């Protein structure tokens, strides 16, 4: 796989689009990003000391309904990386990795479909390694969680190594720790509490609202976890 390193770039997810016309998997890493992008149109803090990486992959005949496998794999690679530095990570459904109750990493996936298949996927991963997070109470770095300095280069190397190794959906589920807990769901104008029951292979979260068990997609709801 081709791997490209840049000192700085607007967003690795945007930069990597120049390879969309090819067919070879590519990884682009940057030391900083000037326009790091998060999910839901948010920006993503991308200063010195973080890992900012995008992988462009061309899955082989992956049905569109299995596209969540790519997200799950990305989250697993981050969890394996955190574990390599002695940290106990958790996946906060669907696309964040947490350590010590704070956000360690975010993932932004952009997909291209051809008919019923996933044609390409841009997997953008940002991991806090040794960046200054003193202004952000809700985030944590690998260095803070490990209690020792974790250089961004080391974290990046591990992340690439882990991303290249395949994973299973069971491995993804092993990092989900909030099942059975009460979560607060916001679905349009409705807000209610429910019990998180399961994460399905297509990425939907099964919840029990006391009346029935339903499966919700991340696009439809937002939720607060760990209420109990
Ligand atoms: C989120 O937490 O909302 C997702 C953040 C994704 C950030 C990564 S950093 C590498 C890649 N380039 C971007 O502009 N975003 C992703």
């Amino acid at each position: 796989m081709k791997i490209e390193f840049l000192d700085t770039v607007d967003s690795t997810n945007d930069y990597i689009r120049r390879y969309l016309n090819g067919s070879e998997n590519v990884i682009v890493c940057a030391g900083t990003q000037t326009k790091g992008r998060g999910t839901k149109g948010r920006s993503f803090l991308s200063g010195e000391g973080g890992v900012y990486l995008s992988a462009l992959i061309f899955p082989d005949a992956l049905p569109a309904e299995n596209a969540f496998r790519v997200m799950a794999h990305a989250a697993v690679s981050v969890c394996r990386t955190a574990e390599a530095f002695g940290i106990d990570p958790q996946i906060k459904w669907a696309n964040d990795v947490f350590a010590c109750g704070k956000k360690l990493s975010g993932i932004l996936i952009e997909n291209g479909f051809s008919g019923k298949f996933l044609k390409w996927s841009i997997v953008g991963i940002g991991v806090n390694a040794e960046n200054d997070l003193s202004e952000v109470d809700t985030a944590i770095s690998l260095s803070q969680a490990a209690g020792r300095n974790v250089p961004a280069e080391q974290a990046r190397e591990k992340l690439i190594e882990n991303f290249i190794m395949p994973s299973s959906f069971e491995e993804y589920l092993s990092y989900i720790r909030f099942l059975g807990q009460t979560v607060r769901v916001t679905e349009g104008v409705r807000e209610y509490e429910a019990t998180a029951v399961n994460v399905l292979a297509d990425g939907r979260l099964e919840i029990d609202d006391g009346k029935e068990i339903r499966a919700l997609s991340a696009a439809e709801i937002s939720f607060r976890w760990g209420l109990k």
Side-chain angles (χ1 to χ4, degrees):
M1 171 161 353
K2 175 183 158 83
I3 303 178
E4 193 173 333
F5 299 92
L6 304 166
D7 284 341
T8 189
V9 70
D10 47 3
S11 155
T12 53
N13 264 38
D14 293 336
Y15 178 91
I16 208 166
R17 282 181 175 263
R18 70 192 56 209
Y19 297 115
L20 275 179
N21 287 332
S23 55
E24 192 197 353
N25 293 350
V26 186
I27 289 182
V28 172
C29 313
T32 58
Q33 297 183 118
T34 53
K35 284 188 188 145
R37 294 192 289 113
T39 55
K40 299 182 181 152
R42 297 191 189 115
S43 57
F44 186 76
L45 266 185
S46 305
E48 284 296 322
V51 176
Y52 312 107
L53 168 163
S54 296
L56 170 62
I57 56 169
F58 298 92
D60 191 19
L62 185 69
E65 63 268 24
N66 294 346
F68 185 71
R69 285 290 304 123
V70 176
M71 165 71 76
H73 176 67
V76 165
S77 352
V78 174
C79 289
R80 289 173 178 166
T81 302
E83 282 177 338
F85 296 103
I87 298 161
D88 183 27
Q90 297 195 34
I91 294 172
K92 184 193 168 212
W93 180 79
N95 56 350
D96 288 334
V97 176
F98 271 53
C100 313
K102 294 186 176 190
K103 180 163 163 168
L104 181 67
S105 164
I107 298 168
L108 174 66
I109 307 242
E110 295 171 296
N111 289 327
F113 295 92
S114 173
K116 292 185 171 161
F117 293 94
L118 183 64
K119 190 173 174 206
W120 54 261
S121 190
I122 294 175
V123 185
I125 307 177
V127 184
N128 301 316
E130 53 177 340
N131 35 333
D132 178 12
L133 297 171
S134 49
E135 305 281 299
V136 200
D137 197 38
T138 50
I140 193 165
S141 64
L142 290 170
S143 299
Q144 288 169 323
R148 67 180 168 94
N149 187 251
V150 175
E153 302 73 41
Q154 265 181 36
R156 187 173 65 204
E157 222 169 88
K158 271 276 160 232
L159 181 61
I160 293 174
E161 194 179 303
N162 287 320
F163 185 82
I164 288 170
M165 283 192 329
S167 67
S168 65
F169 188 63
E170 286 64 41
E171 191 174 356
Y172 171 83
L173 289 178
S174 74
Y175 293 111
I176 298 268
R177 308 272 159 76
F178 63 88
L179 299 182
Q181 290 184 20
T182 303
V183 294
R184 184 150 198 90
V185 181
T186 308
E187 198 181 353
V189 289
R190 268 185 78 214
E191 228 185 291
Y192 55 91
E193 285 188 1
T195 306
V197 176
N198 198 8
V199 178
L200 304 176
D202 63 7
R204 287 178 306 155
L205 175 69
E206 242 180 16
I207 53 136
D208 182 351
D209 63 9
K211 291 193 199 103
E212 57 175 347
I213 295 182
R214 289 184 301 134
L216 305 170
S217 79
E220 289 162 340
I221 66 158
S222 66
F223 82 121
R224 282 193 293 130
W225 63 327
L227 293 180
K228 261 185 206 162

